[in-house]
Amino acid sequence: MNIASRIRRSFFREKKEYSDGNSLKNGSSVNEEGKDEILGVTDELIDHVRSFTVDTFKNFSLEDEEEEVSVSYLGDEDNGMSSSVNVKKDLSGWQEKHAVLVLSKSKELSQLRFKLCPRVLKEDQFWRIYFQLVRKLVAKYEVLAIQQAKIRRMAMEDSKISETKGVYEVEMSETKQRLSTGSATP
């Protein structure tokens, strides 16, 4: 599935949820603002995106398109942790959500994308250029999302280990009971 289809589907899915009234229940309008912030769609970003023109994208030179561009973000410099994101032809999950949200918030970018894709640029080229142009404004949000995903993954692994450990403890206690009662066979 190509990038344009995924973005369209995500956009229509979110639009449907909004029209169903799900986003207005339980004070979720506040959650929407938080979601915007988590995905890096701030007023500053929207203002910056409004300054983009067709020439901004046409004149932007992408290095060798076949080459993988590696962008490293440093986490906390004191502990030496760092994370690396490989920007290939496809968007990451965070970038896809960001793209859907920024398209819904900025009609100018949506119109610009309509003018450029696919006549002038391919969809993936458009988004690669876009994320290069807004890199300074969204990098911290993307790094935060990567860190949070890593923490969730580690927590899930820990819960799996503790579940497995509990199973082993039960098996060991049953074995000890069998041995103490003298029955060696199960």
Side-chain angles (χ1 to χ4, degrees), residues 40-52:
V41 181
T42 60
D43 291 336
E44 182 181 7
L45 177 83
I46 297 296
D47 290 341
H48 183 64
V49 167
R50 286 184 178 142
S51 70
F52 295 166

Side-chain angles (χ1 to χ4, degrees), residues 62-72 84-90 128 132:
L62 287 171
E63 282 91 23
D64 189 10
E65 291 179 24
E66 298 300 317
E67 210 174 280
E68 183 178 298
V69 179
S70 179
V71 181
S72 294
S84 177
V85 177
N86 291 324
V87 181
K88 298 181 184 176
K89 291 193 176 214
D90 292 331
R128 287 177 60 201
Q132 287 294 316

